[in-house]
Amino acid sequence: LNGPLKTTRVISIPRDLAVKIPNGTVLKINGLYQFGSQKSLARRSLGEGGEKAGLESIKGQVEKVTGLTLDSFLMFDLATVQKVIDDIGGLNVYVKDDIHDTRFPTDNGGYETFKLDRGLRYLDGETALKFVRTRNSARGDFDRMERQQEVLKAIKGKILSLNPVWDFPKLWSIFRTVQKNIRTDLTLGDIKAMWGLVKNLDLEKIETLSLNPESGLVVPGKIGLAYVLFATPKQFDYANIQKAINSFLG
């Protein structure tokens, strides 16, 4: 995030990226939070909470993969996004391709059909959540990342369009939702400063580096029966990824 230049660069790490933790266990990177949280149960006598251990596990591996130092973290779940979207009255989002997902997972472990036609569509919170979660497309998780960014752009635009006086109830509801559901080590002053930068950014000009097979930085593989992505040219050697990130960030 570069305030003076009004530019944003985003690095997207796929959830299926395989990483090896210190004890030699190989996990998908999206399993680190749960693994770290469970591991901390044995250390409760030391006062270390599961959430803290889970976050530290993610932070350590992301730093190892990217070669970057992470100064802070901000974590939220998709249910928070759904509530914020409903609080602001829904979104208008352009759907690039027709979506017809006959195996969209339900909360009870089953499946349902999710359908959305191409074009400009109004989405309430529930539909927007399905829009960003579905993997029924040629590029799977990578199309999903693009849809998530599209929704974030729309949320930002909608929030900035609200009037601080007439729309105060909506803004207050958004604030309460975020306050209750986001985990971060940023201070209130940090968040205010970041918002001061973000609100003036052109989100259409966000530059993204996605660690997908098309980039040549990762290749598909298997751990048992599970689909994963391995770094190239060696499975747990992230030198190429780090070189690409350094070049991307300039």
Side-chain angles (χ1 to χ4, degrees):
L1 177 61
N2 189 315
L5 296 179
K6 297 184 179 180
T7 59
T8 304
R9 293 190 175 101
V10 176
I11 301 166
S12 293
I13 300 175
R15 70 190 198 117
D16 292 321
L17 181 67
V19 294
K20 183 182 289 186
I21 60 177
N23 69 3
T25 301
V26 177
L27 300 170
K28 292 185 180 185
I29 201 164
N30 73 328
L32 288 172
Y33 178 77
Q34 182 178 5
F35 179 86
S37 299
Q38 291 175 343
K39 186 178 178 181
S40 75
L41 292 175
R43 305 199 301 266
R44 285 291 173 87
S45 61
L46 299 178
E48 299 183 27
E51 183 174 272
K52 179 182 177 181
L55 290 169
E56 288 298 324
S57 181
I58 294 173
K59 181 180 178 182
Q61 286 296 325
V62 170
E63 290 184 335
K64 182 178 179 181
V65 170
T66 63
L68 302 175
T69 299
L70 303 186
D71 298 315
S72 299
F73 70 86
L74 189 149
M75 181 180 75
F76 59 91
D77 59 20
L78 291 177
T80 303
V81 177
Q82 177 177 341
K83 179 66 167 59
V84 168
I85 291 171
D86 284 333
D87 286 345
I88 60 179
L91 302 170
N92 289 314
V93 173
Y94 183 77
V95 180
K96 185 169 62 174
D97 298 299
D98 291 338
I99 296 173
H100 188 78
D101 187 351
T102 58
R103 291 180 62 81
F104 186 87
T106 61
D107 292 338
N108 60 8
Y111 298 97
E112 65 180 4
T113 296
F114 172 60
K115 182 179 179 181
L116 201 58
D117 294 332
R118 176 183 177 182
L120 187 63
R121 299 289 173 228
Y122 166 80
L123 309 181
D124 61 13
E126 181 180 0
T127 308
L129 203 61
K130 291 179 178 179
F131 175 65
V132 300
R133 288 182 60 201
T134 181
R135 298 186 183 89
N136 186 247
S137 61
R139 296 170 64 240
D141 275 345
F142 307 110
D143 285 335
R144 184 182 177 201
M145 290 177 189
E146 290 181 359
R147 290 194 297 272
Q148 290 171 351
Q149 290 174 18
E150 190 69 25
V151 167
L152 289 175
K153 291 176 187 177
I155 290 173
K156 182 222 175 189
K158 194 71 176 285
I159 290 176
L160 287 178
S161 71
L162 297 176
N163 184 292
V165 177
W166 307 118
D167 294 314
F168 179 78
K170 285 185 180 181
L171 291 168
W172 180 250
S173 180
I174 293 167
F175 172 76
R176 293 293 295 164
T177 297
V178 170
Q179 185 184 48
K180 288 188 294 184
N181 295 288
I182 282 183
R183 300 290 182 269
T184 183
D185 58 354
L186 293 168
T187 66
L188 183 58
D190 292 334
I191 293 172
K192 287 181 177 179
M194 289 185 67
W195 176 248
L197 296 173
V198 170
K199 69 179 182 180
N200 295 317
L201 293 175
D202 182 354
L203 295 188
E204 295 299 325
K205 296 181 180 179
I206 288 180
E207 299 176 56
T208 303
L209 173 64
S210 294
L211 307 185
N212 57 39
E214 294 173 4
S215 69
L217 298 172
V218 295
V219 293
K222 292 276 188 177
I223 298 178
L225 297 177
Y227 171 86
V228 298
L229 293 169
F230 287 115
T232 60
K234 297 180 181 179
Q235 291 184 350
F236 305 105
D237 181 351
Y238 306 112
N240 282 352
I241 289 176
Q242 293 172 8
K243 183 178 179 180
I245 288 174
N246 288 334
S247 176
F248 173 66
L249 296 178

